[in-house]
Amino acid sequence: MNRVICTSTSSFQTVCQRHFRAALWITFAIVTLASSGWSAAEDRPNIVVIMVDDMGFSDIGPYGSEIPTPHLDALAANGAKFSQFYNTGRCCPTRAALLTGLYSHQTGIGWMTTDQKVEGYRGRLNDQCVTIGEVLGQAGYFTAMTGKWHVGFKQGVTPWGRGFNRSLNLPAGGLHFFNQTGSKGGTKLFLNGHEVAKDDPQFDPPWYGSDLWTEQGNEFIDEAIAEDKPFFWYLAHVAPHFPCMAPEATIAKYRGKYMDGWDKLREERYARQIQSGLIDASWSLEPRPEQIPAWESLSQEEKERYDDMMAIYAAMIEEVDKNIGKLVSALDSRGKLDNTLILFLSDNGGNAEAGVSGRYEGDSPGDPHSDVFIGRCWAHLNNTPFRKYKHYNHEGGIATPLIAHWPAKIQPSTDQKAWIKTPTHVIDLMATCVDLAKAEYPTQFNGNEIHPLEGQSLQPLLTGQGEFAERALYWEHEGNAAVRVGNRKLVRQGARGEWELFDLDADRTEQVNLAAENPDEVSNLQKQWRQWAKSHQVLPKPTKKKKKK
């Protein structure tokens, strides 16, 4: 489909002024590129970063799922897959870390997008960080983003203001259908900085979000090709975040397929993970928490309710996978697939919000007017074989799939059990982009001092060329905290929680707490975490306001 770039009711004079400014910008860009030595024909890769929202560690085929994901399976089989890649455990902080290559508190988004009046918790990307769009744009890349933004839009931080030439975005997330109602139905949609109606004819309604973000991004790719530029595209899917909803025809495929329940399905995912080499057979599957009922203890009516909830969620995963196939096909037909690095990940672990019962509201749950959360029982399946969920810094909250596909440089292994096992983190994606784009990460930008990069380029792990240095990794969110040094991980639940110590080489499912027998190690790691927290704007934390009596 051919869509216009933006809608406007500006006068002829305003349009002329815009064209004049655009001509000046293009002239400046050409001169800048020429003076910097970049040429359009230079063989730097295109880069597409695909992030899904609230998807668990085991929800796609290569990571153990029963949900068919043939397009992701193909990317993994012909590329590289990481077994120990991490996010921050929550949506906004992960987006901030991905876009900037910094720990989220350094960017001002230590929590969500509310300004809590402390530097690490301002709720917006600050001026001491730069985005991948800003850095790669200065290196001659055409930059685009589609989907969920959620790094301070209401405070004036927008894709078009932070380095993206083209964008189709929601300020936050939660919108899946053009005609959606309910709590997220009023969400606004922006195309290149202009608010547009969700049923605007240029989007060919009716549409489902995963299709829209992909199809518009493919059109942005065409613009990059027309300008003879390499491109960076940040595709931030809203699925499978609540409210869970998907096309009815896709949901129907899965109804009845979850009647075996979370106990049996989790055992099956665990077995596939061991068989694929993703996890070690010596790592115990985390037992079902006592708050989650045994599947067989449920009534038939309860089973059917839970089955339908997970069918809706599975349909969302299928829709994402279908659109990855659409994206790959578009790159291939344009002759761009070979030299495009595609990265796929999730922003946090599976989401247990809405508790054991979940939420199942509406005349037709799963349609644009319903309200469905799959809840804790299915999140327990999503995060197989790990403990905890989104929000937490145990492995179930922070472990994500990462699949990398780049035919020109990544040689697929003949061993399908081959995994990149080096601990890596979402902060590494900016460093990877800077490295591959031959860009320069700035010390100053727009007159502001910029924090040094925290991440490292993944290129040595992807291509086998060069070294990837060992380093400690850190987390903090809502008082939950962790530090990983080598295979040792210190983690706590809540600001006042007891620190637990785990050997992730022997026990990545965090079943055997070694803290009591290693007090000195716990003390040293705790001090190391606190030093990091003080130097990275984690501390001081915002003070909670006392309620008025």
Side-chain angles (χ1 to χ4, degrees):
M1 68 190 81
N2 293 315
R3 303 193 184 108
V4 298
I5 297 306
C6 65
T7 57
S8 176
T9 57
S10 301
S11 67
F12 177 74
Q13 181 181 7
T14 303
V15 171
C16 290
Q17 289 172 344
R18 286 179 178 169
H19 282 296
F20 178 70
R21 287 197 299 270
L24 286 177
W25 186 90
I26 293 169
T27 302
F28 171 77
I30 292 170
V31 171
T32 301
L33 288 173
S35 63
S36 66
W38 295 128
S39 66
E42 196 158 5
D43 190 27
R44 296 177 290 163
N46 309 301
I47 303 170
V48 180
V49 175
I50 307 168
M51 186 160 69
V52 290
D53 197 352
D54 276 12
M55 188 193 81
F57 182 75
S58 68
D59 281 331
I60 57 174
Y63 288 75
S65 184
E66 69 291 332
I67 304 169
T69 54
H71 302 293
L72 280 166
D73 295 356
L75 292 183
N78 294 299
K81 48 193 190 291
F82 289 65
S83 64
Q84 299 196 64
F85 190 81
Y86 290 108
N87 52 50
T88 73
R90 192 75 179 275
C91 54
C92 299
T94 292
R95 288 161 212 283
L98 184 156
L99 285 167
T100 65
L102 304 175
Y103 284 104
S104 58
H105 303 77
Q106 294 175 287
T107 75
I109 305 184
W111 183 61
M112 300 291 280
T113 54
T114 298
D115 186 355
Q116 299 185 71
K117 311 302 181 184
V118 181
E119 286 309 303
Y121 303 86
R122 286 292 186 179
R124 63 182 296 276
L125 292 184
N126 59 33
D127 293 330
Q128 285 68 56
C129 65
V130 285
T131 70
I132 299 174
E134 288 169 327
V135 176
L136 265 59
Q138 293 218 333
Y141 272 67
F142 185 98
T143 58
M145 79 81 51
T146 57
K148 177 178 176 177
W149 183 239
H150 214 187
V151 285
F153 190 93
K154 289 184 178 179
Q155 297 191 56
V157 178
T158 63
W160 56 91
R162 294 306 300 252
F164 289 93
N165 305 130
R166 295 287 182 267
S167 55
L168 177 67
N169 74 284
L170 304 174
L175 187 77
H176 301 292
F177 281 104
F178 82 104
N179 61 338
Q180 187 171 322
T181 56
S183 63
K184 303 294 183 181
T187 298
K188 295 181 178 180
L189 182 65
F190 292 83
L191 177 61
N192 301 321
H194 297 267
E195 183 180 346
V196 286
K198 294 187 284 291
D199 61 354
D200 192 303
Q202 66 180 308
F203 301 132
D204 291 348
W207 51 256
Y208 183 65
S210 297
D211 297 313
L212 182 65
W213 315 130
T214 304
E215 291 166 11
Q216 184 65 62
N218 286 341
E219 292 191 13
F220 290 155
I221 285 176
D222 287 334
E223 289 192 69
I225 293 171
E227 295 184 27
D228 196 21
K229 288 183 176 182
F231 53 83
F232 170 75
W233 174 14
Y234 171 42
L235 169 51
H237 277 291
V238 178
H241 192 284
F242 65 82
C244 295
M245 50 183 65
E248 170 57 29
T250 312
I251 297 171
K253 295 180 185 180
Y254 295 96
R255 286 201 181 95
K257 293 192 175 181
Y258 286 91
M259 291 298 288
D260 283 342
W262 41 76
D263 293 321
K264 182 179 179 182
L265 290 168
R266 202 158 189 266
E267 292 281 357
E268 291 174 353
R269 287 193 181 190
Y270 177 61
R272 284 190 290 268
Q273 290 173 330
I274 293 172
Q275 184 179 16
S276 71
L278 171 59
I279 65 170
D280 194 298
S282 66
W283 299 345
S284 300
L285 177 66
E286 194 225 351
R288 171 171 40 80
E290 62 181 25
Q291 298 90 341
I292 297 176
W295 181 259
E296 291 307 318
S297 72
L298 302 177
S299 68
Q300 183 67 17
E301 183 181 1
E302 288 172 324
K303 288 180 180 179
E304 290 175 0
R305 175 183 181 273
Y306 278 119
D307 168 78
D308 199 36
M309 291 161 65
M310 190 60 191
I312 296 164
Y313 181 88
M316 299 175 84
I317 300 292
E318 178 176 319
E319 289 294 323
V320 167
D321 184 75
K322 178 191 75 176
N323 276 283
I324 286 171
K326 195 183 301 181
L327 183 157
V328 169
S329 178
L331 291 171
D332 193 26
S333 66
R334 291 157 173 78
K336 297 297 181 182
L337 181 61
D338 190 57
N339 197 34
T340 297
L341 171 63
I342 299 173
L343 296 166
F344 173 88
L345 70 154
S346 180
D347 65 346
N348 46 246
N351 182 14
E353 293 170 26
V356 168
S357 296
R359 189 177 298 170
Y360 187 70
E361 299 174 358
D363 293 336
S364 299
D367 78 359
H369 316 297
S370 63
D371 192 12
V372 175
F373 290 51
I374 61 171
R376 184 175 179 183
C377 299
W378 288 125
H380 182 60
L381 172 69
N382 300 155
N383 295 335
T384 305
F386 300 133
R387 286 176 63 189
K388 301 296 179 184
Y389 322 95
K390 172 185 177 180
H391 294 268
Y392 301 101
N393 294 162
H394 288 76
E395 296 291 285
I398 60 176
T400 173
L402 179 67
I403 294 172
H405 183 268
W406 184 15
K409 294 292 184 180
I410 299 176
Q411 298 302 314
S413 174
T414 55
D415 179 7
Q416 289 303 305
K417 291 189 175 183
W419 292 84
I420 295 174
K421 297 182 178 180
T422 304
T424 42
H425 192 284
V426 69
I427 58 174
D428 297 329
L429 298 190
M430 163 70 95
T432 304
C433 291
V434 169
D435 182 17
L436 298 180
K438 299 182 175 65
E440 182 177 347
Y441 181 85
T443 57
Q444 290 190 337
F445 190 78
N446 289 340
N448 299 299
E449 296 290 328
I450 302 300
H451 291 301
L453 265 179
E454 293 285 338
Q456 298 179 184
S457 174
L458 299 175
Q459 181 171 201
L461 301 176
L462 296 174
T463 66
Q465 299 175 357
E467 298 294 326
F468 189 88
E470 290 189 13
R471 65 333 185 13
L473 294 172
Y474 301 90
W475 293 266
E476 193 282 334
H477 183 65
E478 297 180 327
N480 304 306
V483 52
R484 176 171 178 167
V485 179
N487 287 317
R488 308 291 273 195
K489 179 183 174 185
L490 191 72
V491 60
R492 76 179 183 210
Q493 179 178 334
R496 302 192 180 193
E498 292 291 327
W499 288 99
E500 299 175 280
L501 178 67
F502 300 102
D503 181 347
L504 298 190
D505 186 44
D507 173 36
R508 195 176 169 208
T509 54
E510 300 172 317
Q511 299 302 297
V512 182
N513 182 6
L514 305 173
E517 60 199 72
N518 296 279
D520 291 342
E521 184 179 4
V522 169
S523 178
N524 290 336
L525 287 173
Q526 185 178 355
K527 288 176 183 176
Q528 185 171 336
W529 179 86
R530 191 167 181 83
Q531 288 171 350
W532 167 81
K534 288 180 177 179
S535 63
H536 286 69
Q537 299 182 176
V538 178
L539 299 175
K541 296 276 284 181
T543 28
K544 293 183 179 179
K545 294 181 180 179
K546 293 182 179 180
K547 293 181 180 180
K548 295 181 180 180
K549 294 183 179 179

